[in-house]
Amino acid sequence: MLPYPQIDPVIFQLGPLAVRWYGLMYVLAFIAAYFLVRYQIRRYPHPGLAEHFDNLNLVLIISLIVGSRLGYVVFYNFSYYLQHPLEIFATWQGGMSFHGGMLGLLIGGWLFCRRTGLDFFRTADAYAVAVPIGLGLGRLGNFINGELYGRVTEMPWGMVFPNGGPLPRHPSQLYESFLEGLVLFIIMWYALRLYWQRKWPAGRLVAIFLGGYGIFRFMVEFFREPDAHLGLTWGLFSRGQLLSGLMIIAALLLFYRRPVAR
């Protein structure tokens, strides 16, 4: 097996203020998304987006954080937070959901676009290209924290995680960082060129992202340790796989129902 690298989750600390790798990954993800969407605004026609760009980014950041937290509360531990509602705000204890964050982004973005008159699907397509960068960085943060590790394995690259017991486990965070981050970004970057060259309908990039993420996440969940309090549905599928399955269905519907003309 491979040794798990003991990386301190805290980069440095000034009094009560601790700067953590996981938080830094979020910051880097936001910066990368900012410049990548800004690049698309300069290169491709996005009427009105430049004017509202900064305000939209602020709305999306808030929507992502709120959606991620509420998604975890509703999808993964609703009964607990129903009895302890004040702990919903205790984000420092952990508990964020990508599927909830995705819903938060879509709802917040849709409301903003409706208010400002921006084309929602064309705007969402621009941001969809950048999301895999954040996913890849976020999973690296999970790996450094030693959380969301995989199931027990006998493969030679298994690792013993600090909180995962004495047996080696799949480094599933790295699988996700590679597939949902690097590979999905390459797919989205290639699709971006085809999107404008072939005049694909607005919303097509969102559909490709939803489908790509859903497929990769569904695959990796077979190697990831299920949440102890949830287990497996029907003895086979994790909660993440069920939610990813819904994303795949939504991707197919969006892919085939959007009009061809823009």
Side-chain angles (χ1 to χ4, degrees):
M1 65 180 182
L2 294 177
Y4 172 74
Q6 296 288 345
I7 303 174
D8 191 339
V10 178
I11 304 175
F12 62 87
Q13 188 162 355
L14 298 174
L17 177 64
V19 178
R20 299 177 178 272
W21 285 106
Y22 189 73
L24 177 62
M25 296 303 176
Y26 266 84
V27 173
L28 293 177
F30 290 138
I31 293 174
Y34 178 90
F35 284 105
L36 187 53
V37 177
R38 175 66 74 180
Y39 163 81
Q40 294 180 71
I41 293 174
R42 292 197 305 266
R43 186 178 179 91
Y44 304 111
H46 285 282
L49 183 54
E51 176 186 352
H52 300 288
F53 185 55
D54 291 332
N55 289 334
L56 175 57
N57 286 332
L58 178 60
V59 169
L60 292 179
I61 290 173
I62 296 173
S63 299
L64 174 64
I65 296 173
V66 173
S68 297
R69 183 57 174 172
L70 292 182
Y72 178 80
V73 169
V74 174
F75 298 147
Y76 290 94
N77 222 341
F78 183 70
S79 59
Y80 174 83
Y81 287 104
L82 192 62
Q83 300 176 30
H84 307 84
L86 292 180
E87 293 192 28
I88 293 176
F89 304 98
T91 55
W92 57 88
Q93 296 179 2
M96 306 289 273
S97 162
F98 167 78
H99 296 96
M102 192 75 242
L103 284 174
L105 287 174
L106 291 173
I107 294 172
W110 179 77
L111 291 174
F112 185 91
C113 290
R114 183 180 180 184
R115 181 177 180 84
T116 58
L118 289 173
D119 184 317
F120 168 71
F121 282 108
R122 182 175 292 192
T123 302
D125 282 336
Y127 281 88
V129 178
V131 174
I133 298 176
L135 289 172
L137 292 172
R139 293 310 180 193
L140 289 179
N142 293 143
F143 180 75
I144 293 174
N145 286 345
E147 60 191 5
L148 305 183
Y149 42 73
R151 306 183 192 189
V152 173
T153 180
E154 296 181 355
M155 301 304 292
W157 55 81
M159 297 181 180
V160 176
F161 288 89
N163 300 316
L167 298 177
R169 295 178 174 275
H170 284 285
S172 57
Q173 315 97 319
L174 299 183
Y175 302 169
E176 290 191 78
S177 181
F178 176 70
L179 290 174
E180 302 163 11
L182 178 61
V183 174
L184 187 54
F185 175 73
I186 293 173
I187 292 172
M188 295 302 300
W189 189 253
Y190 178 70
L192 175 65
R193 295 176 58 189
L194 297 180
Y195 177 79
W196 292 104
Q197 290 175 0
R198 302 185 180 181
K199 299 187 182 302
W200 281 355
R204 184 62 58 86
L205 292 181
V206 174
I208 293 174
F209 168 77
L210 293 175
Y213 175 84
I215 291 171
F216 289 146
R217 176 71 181 269
F218 192 92
M219 292 166 49
V220 174
E221 284 284 327
F222 283 116
F223 303 95
R224 178 173 161 176
E225 182 70 16
D227 294 273
H229 62 288
L230 293 176
L232 297 175
T233 302
W234 305 309
L236 182 61
F237 299 117
S238 68
R239 182 63 55 85
Q241 285 176 309
L242 296 178
L243 295 171
S244 296
L246 293 176
M247 286 184 66
I248 296 172
I249 294 173
L252 291 173
L253 292 174
L254 180 59
F255 192 90
Y256 289 108
R257 292 183 66 88
R258 288 296 297 162
V260 176
R262 292 195 288 185

